[in-house]
Amino acid sequence: MKITKITVYQVTLPLEHPYWLSGGRLYFDKLDSTIIAIDTDAGIRGWGEGCPWGVTYLPAFGRGIRAGLEELAPHLIGLDPRRTDFIYRTMDVALPGHPYIKSALDMACWDILGKATELPLCELFGGRIDQAITIQNSVPTGTPDEMIESIKRGQARGENVHTCKIGADVAKDIERIQAIGAYLPANESATFDVNRAWLVDDAMRVMNAVTESILYFEQPCETYEECLQVRKMTCHPIILDECIQRYGDIVRAQADNACEAIGLKVNRVGGLTKAKRIRDFCVETGIRMNIEETGGSIIADTGAVHLAQSTPATHLRATWLCHSMLTVDTAIGGARNQGGKTYAPEAPGLGVAPKLDVLGEPVSIYQ
Ligand code: MG
């Protein structure tokens, strides 16, 4: 089987509600997504999506993906898309680094492999585990009342695990944590995600002020070294997210006892191939994971859910479905919210059928 054509679409994804994170210093109201179709001489078409969370969250941006595809796509024409490791190696030689650019191509190759073997991706990632995957409600930075309103919207969708975005202001953060803690029912839980906003002393002041219960804090500071310093001075479990970008980062974090869990975001680490390697390392070494996308529509979300569906429940915290925050829907099928839980589709491959009228005209075609 050979790749004959790569078609690229750009889709703007408006958020239903404006979103602030990192203590309110970063603002988002829409996402720039790149959706691709890979056609083969066997008549099988695979789909993939790459969507950074805006341009300020990570060193990644939508137009960067499309510029990178211009470099990468010609190298893949004529290759067998079922050889996912070989495809990835080819991409890494053709364009070192830039992992987020490669994610959509990698996803589309996995979709083709699944369709060719008539297996859903979770079976190819180690096998479906019969479990419901918990969906996290993503709560933007706001006043305590605004954040509790956002928690209520998640509760209405059946979500009882909330990742609350804080940071930047010590007094306000303590107030937010205490208000949310007082509001939450006993059967619900919250993670406090700082998205890099604190310096080390901010982290110590907030985390030592809320020691009446054990809370998860996520990515307290910008750099790995700062987060490690925080880790050594707190009893609260630490989740590393933005600073886990490559396989070597998780190896180092495990050796340093730097975290109890990670956010494993598929686009950030370079796609499903790279995310699966990190997932397997975490299973072997006892690190819990949130497995989810960096952003995007149902196509991207579903790829992450397939990886989560094949991850032992003991090591899986939750996923997050970005598409439920959007006002457009790019595909039929996929991993949807079923009362706060989700499941990987049973259909071969990703199990999504993109809506061509929503994708519009391609922005580029390589053949
Ligand atoms: Mg995070």
Side-chain angles (χ1 to χ4, degrees):
M1 189 187 297
K2 288 190 170 68
I3 294 174
T4 54
K5 185 163 82 168
I6 299 174
T7 307
V8 182
Y9 302 88
Q10 188 277 329
V11 184
T12 299
L13 306 174
L15 298 179
E16 190 177 358
H17 300 283
Y19 194 99
W20 287 266
L21 60 68
S22 205
R25 65 181 180 153
L26 307 182
Y27 173 77
F28 307 86
D29 57 13
K30 59 184 179 298
L31 305 177
D32 177 356
S33 184
T34 303
I35 294 173
I36 65 159
I38 294 183
D39 284 298
T40 62
D41 61 357
I44 298 176
R45 171 178 281 184
W47 290 94
E49 178 177 14
C51 183
W53 183 259
V55 303
T56 52
Y57 173 58
L58 288 169
F61 65 114
R63 283 177 294 140
I65 293 182
R66 295 185 291 279
L69 289 173
E70 203 175 322
E71 297 291 335
L72 284 172
H75 293 274
L76 302 191
I77 301 295
L79 300 186
D80 187 335
R82 298 170 299 180
R83 297 173 179 166
T84 52
D85 278 1
F86 181 75
I87 290 275
Y88 214 106
R89 182 69 190 143
T90 302
M91 292 197 289
D92 276 345
V93 170
L95 184 68
H98 305 288
Y100 75 102
I101 286 171
K102 298 163 183 167
S103 182
L105 290 168
D106 179 63
M107 190 181 300
C109 290
W110 278 103
D111 190 28
I112 291 167
L113 176 60
K115 287 168 176 167
T117 55
E118 300 187 344
L119 290 170
L121 291 196
C122 57
E123 301 292 0
L124 302 175
F125 293 157
R128 179 183 294 273
I129 294 172
D130 184 21
Q131 60 187 351
I133 297 162
T134 297
I135 300 169
Q136 293 201 93
N137 174 29
S138 186
V139 179
T141 305
T143 65
D145 285 348
E146 287 167 344
M147 295 182 77
I148 287 169
E149 281 308 306
S150 179
I151 288 173
K152 287 177 179 171
R153 286 200 292 272
Q155 288 168 331
R157 295 190 293 265
E159 296 161 6
N160 58 17
V161 175
H162 311 277
T163 174
C164 304
K165 307 299 184 176
I166 60 169
D169 184 306
V170 167
K172 284 183 183 169
D173 285 337
I174 292 169
E175 192 187 344
R176 289 172 180 130
I177 292 166
Q178 290 176 338
I180 290 167
Y183 166 75
L184 272 190
N187 64 339
E188 302 198 9
S189 66
T191 294
F192 293 94
D193 189 353
V194 189
N195 292 109
R196 329 190 300 275
W198 287 338
L199 298 183
V200 172
D201 59 339
D202 299 327
M204 298 323 300
R205 290 164 67 199
V206 177
M207 292 163 77
N208 286 335
V210 292
T211 50
E212 65 274 17
S213 60
I214 298 293
L215 300 169
Y216 277 87
F217 285 90
E218 184 165 331
Q219 193 73 36
C221 303
E222 180 80 34
T223 67
Y224 174 78
E225 289 75 14
E226 290 167 291
C227 292
L228 182 59
Q229 194 178 344
V230 171
R231 175 76 212 87
K232 289 174 177 169
M233 297 190 290
T234 178
C235 63
H236 295 290
I238 296 287
I239 303 172
L240 292 180
D241 193 9
E242 285 95 317
C243 68
I244 301 295
Q245 303 202 13
R246 304 171 61 248
Y247 190 89
D249 296 332
I250 188 63
V251 173
R252 180 171 61 151
Q254 191 270 339
D256 290 344
N257 295 318
C259 62
E260 284 65 45
I262 64 164
L264 180 49
K265 289 189 166 63
V266 173
N267 183 261
R268 185 186 66 221
V269 301
L272 292 164
T273 294
K274 296 285 176 102
K276 180 184 178 303
R277 293 174 189 169
I278 293 173
R279 186 276 308 264
D280 291 343
F281 179 87
C282 289
V283 170
E284 288 295 328
T285 56
I287 297 172
R288 281 206 166 88
M289 292 162 276
N290 295 320
I291 300 180
E292 59 205 12
E293 259 299 359
T294 313
S297 70
I298 183 67
I299 302 168
D301 281 343
T302 301
V305 171
H306 276 289
L307 191 60
Q309 192 74 64
S310 55
T311 300
T314 44
H315 292 69
L316 182 66
R317 298 181 81 239
T319 191
W320 161 66
L321 298 181
C322 181
H323 75 267
S324 66
M325 297 169 64
L326 307 174
T327 59
V328 298
D329 193 15
T330 61
I332 296 164
R336 305 282 176 172
N337 185 331
Q338 300 182 38
K341 304 288 182 184
T342 192
Y343 305 86
E346 302 277 352
L350 276 171
V352 294
K355 300 174 180 173
L356 294 177
D357 58 324
V358 174
L359 303 190
E361 290 299 312
V363 294
S364 42
I365 296 173
Y366 305 94
Q367 53 194 345

